[in-house]
Amino acid sequence: MTVRDVAIIGSGLVGATAALALSRGGLDVALVGADLSAAGERPPESWDPRIYAISPGSRSLLERVEVWSSLPVDRIQPVRSMRIQGDAGGVLGFEAMDSGVEALAYILESRLLSEALHRKARSSGIELKIPARPVAMEQAADHMRVDLDNGAAITARLVVGADGARSWVRRWSGIPCDVRIYPQTAVVANFESELSHGGVARQWFREDGILALLPLPGRRVSMVWSAAEGKAKELLDLHPQALSAAVSQAFQGVAGELTSITAAASFPLRRLNCARYIAPRLVLIGDAAHNIHPLAGQGLNLGLRDVQSLADLLTNRGADRDCGSLSLLRRYQRTRREDVSGMIAVTDGLQRLFSSRSPGVPTLRNLGLSLTGRVPMIRRALAQHALA
């Protein structure tokens, strides 16, 4: 029986990055998940409606696993500045120059990053069990056995659950989670824009939801509108031309006239944080462990910080040769708890604050937004956390 160091369940962005990072650190890794190569069947000139804001810290991780350099540079848009506007005049701004970085974030399509990760995984000596999904797991004293739906099985010292918000690994482990379903749906779409975005990302806290304009390469922009169910359905039902007009108006004309280049898509929103991220010979990372509201654009970055912490811990474990030992996993959990809990508190708090219709609250929250922008120390602290 071959006992590998790590079996990663989930071949999405976080799982594939974890496989590369751990393999690069000298661990024997297997990756189990869906076959995502079909994404490459789209015409190369098409655009993916699902995009991510990659932080400088996440870019550094992708550079270390030798993926960033393989991404097409003409499909990556640096964010040079950010403007946040409240629903009653409050304004907050960030500049890359003030933080001493090239960009606050890099806007990148999900499909392109997934393809690059999987190309690298295929050439990196990782055992790929794709397509496959787990159907049973059994814990022994010094390993875990994972049975797959294709009849194969993997034995490993440690199982990493990176299988997303509906994680099978999490359900199997019985780890309890605190869940809040937001009364909102995120609607996403991409557009050609009449005016240049200038590398500026914008966000509006509105009465009908939280609206983000993210710059794409050229004169293109991406919309993420976290709206109440009724508003989200209304947006999804619009003809592309009518949607372009509605979004252009919501963007307050900063992008000029818009032309739809992707159909609108949607996904539900929720907050989730597990009571713990570990169990004997098992660890949860990414959306399997925590989900946050997308208003800060930090969901994927939070998962990639999980990957970095886990890779640092396992590749520098010293005399403790068993990468599934509970003492190691407890150290991982301690390292990640503060970061995750802090980000959940910020995003959940902002969502609640700007959803409140109580008298006087709009004035106070917008005053707070503007005052934050006028205190350099606070503004820099917020920016540095987002850059990680």
mmCIF file with all atom_site columns, all heavy atoms in Angstrom, residues 267-288:
data_model
loop_
_atom_site.group_PDB
_atom_site.id
_atom_site.type_symbol
_atom_site.label_atom_id
_atom_site.label_alt_id
_atom_site.label_comp_id
_atom_site.label_asym_id
_atom_site.label_entity_id
_atom_site.label_seq_id
_atom_site.pdbx_PDB_ins_code
_atom_site.Cartn_x
_atom_site.Cartn_y
_atom_site.Cartn_z
_atom_site.occupancy
_atom_site.B_iso_or_equiv
_atom_site.pdbx_formal_charge
_atom_site.auth_seq_id
_atom_site.auth_comp_id
_atom_site.auth_asym_id
_atom_site.auth_atom_id
_atom_site.pdbx_PDB_model_num
ATOM 1   N N   . PHE A 1 267 ? -24.917 34.068 -8.270 1.00 0.00 ? 267 PHE A N   1
ATOM 2   C CA  . PHE A 1 267 ? -24.624 33.049 -7.263 1.00 0.00 ? 267 PHE A CA  1
ATOM 3   C C   . PHE A 1 267 ? -25.120 33.557 -5.917 1.00 0.00 ? 267 PHE A C   1
ATOM 4   O O   . PHE A 1 267 ? -25.082 34.755 -5.634 1.00 0.00 ? 267 PHE A O   1
ATOM 5   C CB  . PHE A 1 267 ? -23.138 32.681 -7.218 1.00 0.00 ? 267 PHE A CB  1
ATOM 6   C CG  . PHE A 1 267 ? -22.197 33.830 -7.054 1.00 0.00 ? 267 PHE A CG  1
ATOM 7   C CD1 . PHE A 1 267 ? -21.724 34.208 -5.800 1.00 0.00 ? 267 PHE A CD1 1
ATOM 8   C CD2 . PHE A 1 267 ? -21.747 34.543 -8.154 1.00 0.00 ? 267 PHE A CD2 1
ATOM 9   C CE1 . PHE A 1 267 ? -20.842 35.265 -5.651 1.00 0.00 ? 267 PHE A CE1 1
ATOM 10  C CE2 . PHE A 1 267 ? -20.861 35.601 -8.018 1.00 0.00 ? 267 PHE A CE2 1
ATOM 11  C CZ  . PHE A 1 267 ? -20.412 35.961 -6.761 1.00 0.00 ? 267 PHE A CZ  1
ATOM 12  N N   . PRO A 1 268 ? -25.619 32.653 -5.062 1.00 0.00 ? 268 PRO A N   1
ATOM 13  C CA  . PRO A 1 268 ? -26.151 33.052 -3.756 1.00 0.00 ? 268 PRO A CA  1
ATOM 14  C C   . PRO A 1 268 ? -25.023 33.455 -2.825 1.00 0.00 ? 268 PRO A C   1
ATOM 15  O O   . PRO A 1 268 ? -23.863 33.075 -3.014 1.00 0.00 ? 268 PRO A O   1
ATOM 16  C CB  . PRO A 1 268 ? -26.862 31.786 -3.260 1.00 0.00 ? 268 PRO A CB  1
ATOM 17  C CG  . PRO A 1 268 ? -26.153 30.667 -3.947 1.00 0.00 ? 268 PRO A CG  1
ATOM 18  C CD  . PRO A 1 268 ? -25.728 31.201 -5.289 1.00 0.00 ? 268 PRO A CD  1
ATOM 19  N N   . LEU A 1 269 ? -25.369 34.215 -1.791 1.00 0.00 ? 269 LEU A N   1
ATOM 20  C CA  . LEU A 1 269 ? -24.374 34.724 -0.855 1.00 0.00 ? 269 LEU A CA  1
ATOM 21  C C   . LEU A 1 269 ? -24.659 34.216 0.554  1.00 0.00 ? 269 LEU A C   1
ATOM 22  O O   . LEU A 1 269 ? -25.812 34.179 0.996  1.00 0.00 ? 269 LEU A O   1
ATOM 23  C CB  . LEU A 1 269 ? -24.378 36.251 -0.845 1.00 0.00 ? 269 LEU A CB  1
ATOM 24  C CG  . LEU A 1 269 ? -24.080 36.931 -2.189 1.00 0.00 ? 269 LEU A CG  1
ATOM 25  C CD1 . LEU A 1 269 ? -24.159 38.438 -2.036 1.00 0.00 ? 269 LEU A CD1 1
ATOM 26  C CD2 . LEU A 1 269 ? -22.717 36.504 -2.705 1.00 0.00 ? 269 LEU A CD2 1
ATOM 27  N N   . ARG A 1 270 ? -23.585 33.854 1.242  1.00 0.00 ? 270 ARG A N   1
ATOM 28  C CA  . ARG A 1 270 ? -23.725 33.453 2.635  1.00 0.00 ? 270 ARG A CA  1
ATOM 29  C C   . ARG A 1 270 ? -22.407 33.652 3.357  1.00 0.00 ? 270 ARG A C   1
ATOM 30  O O   . ARG A 1 270 ? -21.348 33.749 2.745  1.00 0.00 ? 270 ARG A O   1
ATOM 31  C CB  . ARG A 1 270 ? -24.177 31.996 2.747  1.00 0.00 ? 270 ARG A CB  1
ATOM 32  C CG  . ARG A 1 270 ? -23.144 30.977 2.310  1.00 0.00 ? 270 ARG A CG  1
ATOM 33  C CD  . ARG A 1 270 ? -23.630 29.574 2.599  1.00 0.00 ? 270 ARG A CD  1
ATOM 34  N NE  . ARG A 1 270 ? -22.649 28.568 2.240  1.00 0.00 ? 270 ARG A NE  1
ATOM 35  C CZ  . ARG A 1 270 ? -22.748 27.292 2.593  1.00 0.00 ? 270 ARG A CZ  1
ATOM 36  N NH1 . ARG A 1 270 ? -23.783 26.874 3.289  1.00 0.00 ? 270 ARG A NH1 1
ATOM 37  N NH2 . ARG A 1 270 ? -21.829 26.427 2.241  1.00 0.00 ? 270 ARG A NH2 1
ATOM 38  N N   . ARG A 1 271 ? -22.499 33.739 4.671  1.00 0.00 ? 271 ARG A N   1
ATOM 39  C CA  . ARG A 1 271 ? -21.336 33.761 5.536  1.00 0.00 ? 271 ARG A CA  1
ATOM 40  C C   . ARG A 1 271 ? -21.240 32.407 6.218  1.00 0.00 ? 271 ARG A C   1
ATOM 41  O O   . ARG A 1 271 ? -22.250 31.885 6.712  1.00 0.00 ? 271 ARG A O   1
ATOM 42  C CB  . ARG A 1 271 ? -21.477 34.847 6.589  1.00 0.00 ? 271 ARG A CB  1
ATOM 43  C CG  . ARG A 1 271 ? -20.299 34.941 7.563  1.00 0.00 ? 271 ARG A CG  1
ATOM 44  C CD  . ARG A 1 271 ? -20.741 35.546 8.881  1.00 0.00 ? 271 ARG A CD  1
ATOM 45  N NE  . ARG A 1 271 ? -21.655 34.658 9.607  1.00 0.00 ? 271 ARG A NE  1
ATOM 46  C CZ  . ARG A 1 271 ? -22.463 35.059 10.587 1.00 0.00 ? 271 ARG A CZ  1
ATOM 47  N NH1 . ARG A 1 271 ? -22.514 36.319 10.924 1.00 0.00 ? 271 ARG A NH1 1
ATOM 48  N NH2 . ARG A 1 271 ? -23.252 34.196 11.202 1.00 0.00 ? 271 ARG A NH2 1
ATOM 49  N N   . LEU A 1 272 ? -20.055 31.823 6.216  1.00 0.00 ? 272 LEU A N   1
ATOM 50  C CA  . LEU A 1 272 ? -19.850 30.538 6.884  1.00 0.00 ? 272 LEU A CA  1
ATOM 51  C C   . LEU A 1 272 ? -18.482 30.552 7.543  1.00 0.00 ? 272 LEU A C   1
ATOM 52  O O   . LEU A 1 272 ? -17.499 30.988 6.942  1.00 0.00 ? 272 LEU A O   1
ATOM 53  C CB  . LEU A 1 272 ? -19.950 29.385 5.873  1.00 0.00 ? 272 LEU A CB  1
ATOM 54  C CG  . LEU A 1 272 ? -19.695 27.965 6.372  1.00 0.00 ? 272 LEU A CG  1
ATOM 55  C CD1 . LEU A 1 272 ? -20.549 26.963 5.599  1.00 0.00 ? 272 LEU A CD1 1
ATOM 56  C CD2 . LEU A 1 272 ? -18.216 27.561 6.259  1.00 0.00 ? 272 LEU A CD2 1
ATOM 57  N N   . ASN A 1 273 ? -18.430 30.079 8.765  1.00 0.00 ? 273 ASN A N   1
ATOM 58  C CA  . ASN A 1 273 ? -17.152 29.908 9.445  1.00 0.00 ? 273 ASN A CA  1
ATOM 59  C C   . ASN A 1 273 ? -17.241 28.660 10.310 1.00 0.00 ? 273 ASN A C   1
ATOM 60  O O   . ASN A 1 273 ? -18.142 28.537 11.146 1.00 0.00 ? 273 ASN A O   1
ATOM 61  C CB  . ASN A 1 273 ? -16.794 31.123 10.300 1.00 0.00 ? 273 ASN A CB  1
ATOM 62  C CG  . ASN A 1 273 ? -15.328 31.134 10.709 1.00 0.00 ? 273 ASN A CG  1
ATOM 63  O OD1 . ASN A 1 273 ? -14.503 30.459 10.101 1.00 0.00 ? 273 ASN A OD1 1
ATOM 64  N ND2 . ASN A 1 273 ? -15.009 31.902 11.738 1.00 0.00 ? 273 ASN A ND2 1
ATOM 65  N N   . CYS A 1 274 ? -16.354 27.723 10.076 1.00 0.00 ? 274 CYS A N   1
ATOM 66  C CA  . CYS A 1 274 ? -16.391 26.471 10.819 1.00 0.00 ? 274 CYS A CA  1
ATOM 67  C C   . CYS A 1 274 ? -15.902 26.675 12.249 1.00 0.00 ? 274 CYS A C   1
ATOM 68  O O   . CYS A 1 274 ? -15.009 27.497 12.505 1.00 0.00 ? 274 CYS A O   1
ATOM 69  C CB  . CYS A 1 274 ? -15.525 25.419 10.126 1.00 0.00 ? 274 CYS A CB  1
ATOM 70  S SG  . CYS A 1 274 ? -16.238 24.835 8.575  1.00 0.00 ? 274 CYS A SG  1
ATOM 71  N N   . ALA A 1 275 ? -16.467 25.903 13.158 1.00 0.00 ? 275 ALA A N   1
ATOM 72  C CA  . ALA A 1 275 ? -16.060 25.975 14.571 1.00 0.00 ? 275 ALA A CA  1
ATOM 73  C C   . ALA A 1 275 ? -14.588 25.616 14.715 1.00 0.00 ? 275 ALA A C   1
ATOM 74  O O   . ALA A 1 275 ? -13.897 26.118 15.597 1.00 0.00 ? 275 ALA A O   1
ATOM 75  C CB  . ALA A 1 275 ? -16.922 25.037 15.406 1.00 0.00 ? 275 ALA A CB  1
ATOM 76  N N   . ARG A 1 276 ? -14.106 24.754 13.855 1.00 0.00 ? 276 ARG A N   1
ATOM 77  C CA  . ARG A 1 276 ? -12.683 24.427 13.789 1.00 0.00 ? 276 ARG A CA  1
ATOM 78  C C   . ARG A 1 276 ? -12.366 24.059 12.340 1.00 0.00 ? 276 ARG A C   1
ATOM 79  O O   . ARG A 1 276 ? -13.256 23.725 11.560 1.00 0.00 ? 276 ARG A O   1
ATOM 80  C CB  . ARG A 1 276 ? -12.307 23.287 14.739 1.00 0.00 ? 276 ARG A CB  1
ATOM 81  C CG  . ARG A 1 276 ? -13.062 21.995 14.502 1.00 0.00 ? 276 ARG A CG  1
ATOM 82  C CD  . ARG A 1 276 ? -12.735 20.956 15.571 1.00 0.00 ? 276 ARG A CD  1
ATOM 83  N NE  . ARG A 1 276 ? -13.355 19.667 15.263 1.00 0.00 ? 276 ARG A NE  1
ATOM 84  C CZ  . ARG A 1 276 ? -14.596 19.347 15.556 1.00 0.00 ? 276 ARG A CZ  1
ATOM 85  N NH1 . ARG A 1 276 ? -15.374 20.216 16.173 1.00 0.00 ? 276 ARG A NH1 1
ATOM 86  N NH2 . ARG A 1 276 ? -15.085 18.162 15.233 1.00 0.00 ? 276 ARG A NH2 1
ATOM 87  N N   . TYR A 1 277 ? -11.110 24.139 11.977 1.00 0.00 ? 277 TYR A N   1
ATOM 88  C CA  . TYR A 1 277 ? -10.689 23.847 10.609 1.00 0.00 ? 277 TYR A CA  1
ATOM 89  C C   . TYR A 1 277 ? -9.993  22.504 10.482 1.00 0.00 ? 277 TYR A C   1
ATOM 90  O O   . TYR A 1 277 ? -9.554  22.128 9.393  1.00 0.00 ? 277 TYR A O   1
ATOM 91  C CB  . TYR A 1 277 ? -9.736  24.943 10.099 1.00 0.00 ? 277 TYR A CB  1
ATOM 92  C CG  . TYR A 1 277 ? -10.304 26.338 10.161 1.00 0.00 ? 277 TYR A CG  1
ATOM 93  C CD1 . TYR A 1 277 ? -9.477  27.426 10.452 1.00 0.00 ? 277 TYR A CD1 1
ATOM 94  C CD2 . TYR A 1 277 ? -11.658 26.575 9.954  1.00 0.00 ? 277 TYR A CD2 1
ATOM 95  C CE1 . TYR A 1 277 ? -9.999  28.710 10.521 1.00 0.00 ? 277 TYR A CE1 1
ATOM 96  C CE2 . TYR A 1 277 ? -12.177 27.851 10.029 1.00 0.00 ? 277 TYR A CE2 1
ATOM 97  C CZ  . TYR A 1 277 ? -11.345 28.914 10.313 1.00 0.00 ? 277 TYR A CZ  1
ATOM 98  O OH  . TYR A 1 277 ? -11.862 30.185 10.379 1.00 0.00 ? 277 TYR A OH  1
ATOM 99  N N   . ILE A 1 278 ? -9.882  21.792 11.595 1.00 0.00 ? 278 ILE A N   1
ATOM 100 C CA  . ILE A 1 278 ? -9.130  20.544 11.590 1.00 0.00 ? 278 ILE A CA  1
ATOM 101 C C   . ILE A 1 278 ? -9.900  19.437 12.298 1.00 0.00 ? 278 ILE A C   1
ATOM 102 O O   . ILE A 1 278 ? -10.803 19.689 13.100 1.00 0.00 ? 278 ILE A O   1
ATOM 103 C CB  . ILE A 1 278 ? -7.753  20.713 12.269 1.00 0.00 ? 278 ILE A CB  1
ATOM 104 C CG1 . ILE A 1 278 ? -7.942  21.087 13.747 1.00 0.00 ? 278 ILE A CG1 1
ATOM 105 C CG2 . ILE A 1 278 ? -6.913  21.757 11.538 1.00 0.00 ? 278 ILE A CG2 1
ATOM 106 C CD1 . ILE A 1 278 ? -6.656  21.056 14.561 1.00 0.00 ? 278 ILE A CD1 1
ATOM 107 N N   . ALA A 1 279 ? -9.535  18.216 11.972 1.00 0.00 ? 279 ALA A N   1
ATOM 108 C CA  . ALA A 1 279 ? -9.956  17.009 12.666 1.00 0.00 ? 279 ALA A CA  1
ATOM 109 C C   . ALA A 1 279 ? -8.761  16.058 12.552 1.00 0.00 ? 279 ALA A C   1
ATOM 110 O O   . ALA A 1 279 ? -7.805  16.356 11.838 1.00 0.00 ? 279 ALA A O   1
ATOM 111 C CB  . ALA A 1 279 ? -11.213 16.419 12.019 1.00 0.00 ? 279 ALA A CB  1
ATOM 112 N N   . PRO A 1 280 ? -8.757  14.932 13.243 1.00 0.00 ? 280 PRO A N   1
ATOM 113 C CA  . PRO A 1 280 ? -7.614  14.025 13.103 1.00 0.00 ? 280 PRO A CA  1
ATOM 114 C C   . PRO A 1 280 ? -7.334  13.686 11.633 1.00 0.00 ? 280 PRO A C   1
ATOM 115 O O   . PRO A 1 280 ? -8.206  13.228 10.917 1.00 0.00 ? 280 PRO A O   1
ATOM 116 C CB  . PRO A 1 280 ? -8.063  12.790 13.898 1.00 0.00 ? 280 PRO A CB  1
ATOM 117 C CG  . PRO A 1 280 ? -8.961  13.349 14.960 1.00 0.00 ? 280 PRO A CG  1
ATOM 118 C CD  . PRO A 1 280 ? -9.705  14.459 14.276 1.00 0.00 ? 280 PRO A CD  1
ATOM 119 N N   . ARG A 1 281 ? -6.131  14.023 11.187 1.00 0.00 ? 281 ARG A N   1
ATOM 120 C CA  . ARG A 1 281 ? -5.638  13.757 9.821  1.00 0.00 ? 281 ARG A CA  1
ATOM 121 C C   . ARG A 1 281 ? -6.469  14.438 8.733  1.00 0.00 ? 281 ARG A C   1
ATOM 122 O O   . ARG A 1 281 ? -6.516  13.983 7.600  1.00 0.00 ? 281 ARG A O   1
ATOM 123 C CB  . ARG A 1 281 ? -5.550  12.249 9.554  1.00 0.00 ? 281 ARG A CB  1
ATOM 124 C CG  . ARG A 1 281 ? -4.630  11.570 10.527 1.00 0.00 ? 281 ARG A CG  1
ATOM 125 C CD  . ARG A 1 281 ? -3.981  10.321 10.021 1.00 0.00 ? 281 ARG A CD  1
ATOM 126 N NE  . ARG A 1 281 ? -2.928  9.933  10.961 1.00 0.00 ? 281 ARG A NE  1
ATOM 127 C CZ  . ARG A 1 281 ? -1.673  10.383 10.931 1.00 0.00 ? 281 ARG A CZ  1
ATOM 128 N NH1 . ARG A 1 281 ? -1.303  11.208 9.962  1.00 0.00 ? 281 ARG A NH1 1
ATOM 129 N NH2 . ARG A 1 281 ? -0.788  9.994  11.831 1.00 0.00 ? 281 ARG A NH2 1
ATOM 130 N N   . LEU A 1 282 ? -7.060  15.583 9.083  1.00 0.00 ? 282 LEU A N   1
ATOM 131 C CA  . LEU A 1 282 ? -7.913  16.282 8.123  1.00 0.00 ? 282 LEU A CA  1
ATOM 132 C C   . LEU A 1 282 ? -7.854  17.780 8.384  1.00 0.00 ? 282 LEU A C   1
ATOM 133 O O   . LEU A 1 282 ? -7.842  18.209 9.547  1.00 0.00 ? 282 LEU A O   1
ATOM 134 C CB  . LEU A 1 282 ? -9.349  15.766 8.249  1.00 0.00 ? 282 LEU A CB  1
ATOM 135 C CG  . LEU A 1 282 ? -10.416 16.299 7.305  1.00 0.00 ? 282 LEU A CG  1
ATOM 136 C CD1 . LEU A 1 282 ? -11.461 15.204 7.043  1.00 0.00 ? 282 LEU A CD1 1
ATOM 137 C CD2 . LEU A 1 282 ? -11.096 17.534 7.865  1.00 0.00 ? 282 LEU A CD2 1
ATOM 138 N N   . VAL A 1 283 ? -7.810  18.568 7.309  1.00 0.00 ? 283 VAL A N   1
ATOM 139 C CA  . VAL A 1 283 ? -7.845  20.019 7.442  1.00 0.00 ? 283 VAL A CA  1
ATOM 140 C C   . VAL A 1 283 ? -8.721  20.589 6.332  1.00 0.00 ? 283 VAL A C   1
ATOM 141 O O   . VAL A 1 283 ? -8.740  20.066 5.205  1.00 0.00 ? 283 VAL A O   1
ATOM 142 C CB  . VAL A 1 283 ? -6.414  20.616 7.384  1.00 0.00 ? 283 VAL A CB  1
ATOM 143 C CG1 . VAL A 1 283 ? -5.738  20.312 6.056  1.00 0.00 ? 283 VAL A CG1 1
ATOM 144 C CG2 . VAL A 1 283 ? -6.430  22.118 7.628  1.00 0.00 ? 283 VAL A CG2 1
ATOM 145 N N   . LEU A 1 284 ? -9.469  21.634 6.650  1.00 0.00 ? 284 LEU A N   1
ATOM 146 C CA  . LEU A 1 284 ? -10.314 22.320 5.674  1.00 0.00 ? 284 LEU A CA  1
ATOM 147 C C   . LEU A 1 284 ? -9.658  23.637 5.294  1.00 0.00 ? 284 LEU A C   1
ATOM 148 O O   . LEU A 1 284 ? -9.156  24.363 6.152  1.00 0.00 ? 284 LEU A O   1
ATOM 149 C CB  . LEU A 1 284 ? -11.703 22.603 6.267  1.00 0.00 ? 284 LEU A CB  1
ATOM 150 C CG  . LEU A 1 284 ? -12.513 21.409 6.746  1.00 0.00 ? 284 LEU A CG  1
ATOM 151 C CD1 . LEU A 1 284 ? -13.825 21.890 7.388  1.00 0.00 ? 284 LEU A CD1 1
ATOM 152 C CD2 . LEU A 1 284 ? -12.812 20.442 5.604  1.00 0.00 ? 284 LEU A CD2 1
ATOM 153 N N   . ILE A 1 285 ? -9.695  23.958 3.984  1.00 0.00 ? 285 ILE A N   1
ATOM 154 C CA  . ILE A 1 285 ? -9.157  25.235 3.519  1.00 0.00 ? 285 ILE A CA  1
ATOM 155 C C   . ILE A 1 285 ? -10.134 25.870 2.527  1.00 0.00 ? 285 ILE A C   1
ATOM 156 O O   . ILE A 1 285 ? -11.008 25.202 1.966  1.00 0.00 ? 285 ILE A O   1
ATOM 157 C CB  . ILE A 1 285 ? -7.763  25.080 2.860  1.00 0.00 ? 285 ILE A CB  1
ATOM 158 C CG1 . ILE A 1 285 ? -7.837  24.221 1.587  1.00 0.00 ? 285 ILE A CG1 1
ATOM 159 C CG2 . ILE A 1 285 ? -6.766  24.487 3.845  1.00 0.00 ? 285 ILE A CG2 1
ATOM 160 C CD1 . ILE A 1 285 ? -6.515  24.162 0.817  1.00 0.00 ? 285 ILE A CD1 1
ATOM 161 N N   . GLY A 1 286 ? -9.958  27.169 2.290  1.00 0.00 ? 286 GLY A N   1
ATOM 162 C CA  . GLY A 1 286 ? -10.794 27.860 1.313  1.00 0.00 ? 286 GLY A CA  1
ATOM 163 C C   . GLY A 1 286 ? -12.255 27.861 1.704  1.00 0.00 ? 286 GLY A C   1
ATOM 164 O O   . GLY A 1 286 ? -12.604 27.892 2.894  1.00 0.00 ? 286 GLY A O   1
ATOM 165 N N   . ASP A 1 287 ? -13.124 27.819 0.706  1.00 0.00 ? 287 ASP A N   1
ATOM 166 C CA  . ASP A 1 287 ? -14.561 27.900 0.954  1.00 0.00 ? 287 ASP A CA  1
ATOM 167 C C   . ASP A 1 287 ? -15.102 26.711 1.733  1.00 0.00 ? 287 ASP A C   1
ATOM 168 O O   . ASP A 1 287 ? -16.210 26.776 2.269  1.00 0.00 ? 287 ASP A O   1
ATOM 169 C CB  . ASP A 1 287 ? -15.322 28.013 -0.374 1.00 0.00 ? 287 ASP A CB  1
ATOM 170 C CG  . ASP A 1 287 ? -15.256 29.413 -0.965 1.00 0.00 ? 287 ASP A CG  1
ATOM 171 O OD1 . ASP A 1 287 ? -14.704 30.311 -0.305 1.00 0.00 ? 287 ASP A OD1 1
ATOM 172 O OD2 . ASP A 1 287 ? -15.760 29.613 -2.091 1.00 0.00 ? 287 ASP A OD2 1
ATOM 173 N N   . ALA A 1 288 ? -14.371 25.622 1.795  1.00 0.00 ? 288 ALA A N   1
ATOM 174 C CA  . ALA A 1 288 ? -14.801 24.494 2.624  1.00 0.00 ? 288 ALA A CA  1
ATOM 175 C C   . ALA A 1 288 ? -14.765 24.865 4.100  1.00 0.00 ? 288 ALA A C   1
ATOM 176 O O   . ALA A 1 288 ? -15.508 24.312 4.910  1.00 0.00 ? 288 ALA A O   1
ATOM 177 C CB  . ALA A 1 288 ? -13.909 23.280 2.369  1.00 0.00 ? 288 ALA A CB  1
#
